[in-house]
Amino acid sequence: NGKMILISGLFDGQLTAQAKEAGVQHLLPKPFAMPALDSTIRELFGLPTKKTNLVDVAKSAKPDQET
């Protein structure tokens, strides 16, 4: 049994019904932010929710090194 996420910018009642009928577990409307995709995937696979502290992410980012 595959896991499916339908990503579209044109959701309507008919598309939503057809997707659910086809076995799509999650609908993700465009545009979306990466945290929305991350949380959708985590939910779909039963993974723990990730709490992102953006300050820590910014501090851990390494600047591009010139060669």
Side-chain angles (χ1 to χ4, degrees), residues 6-16 19 26-30:
L6 177 61
I7 298 172
S8 177
L10 301 171
F11 283 114
D12 61 15
Q14 183 179 3
L15 178 61
T16 300
H26 290 277
L27 306 173
L28 191 57
K30 292 192 295 186

Side-chain angles (χ1 to χ4, degrees), residues 14-59:
Q14 183 179 3
L15 178 61
T16 300
Q18 289 173 338
K20 293 293 183 182
E21 195 173 299
V24 174
Q25 292 88 2
H26 290 277
L27 306 173
L28 191 57
K30 292 192 295 186
F32 57 85
M34 290 310 293
L37 178 60
D38 180 69
S39 65
T40 300
I41 291 170
R42 287 176 180 283
E43 183 180 332
L44 185 63
F45 286 95
L47 301 172
T49 303
K50 183 178 178 182
K51 304 254 186 219
T52 303
N53 180 331
L54 296 179
V55 173
D56 291 339
V57 171
K59 286 180 181 178

Side-chain angles (χ1 to χ4, degrees), residues 57-65:
V57 171
K59 286 180 181 178
S60 68
K62 295 179 182 173
D64 292 338
Q65 296 179 357

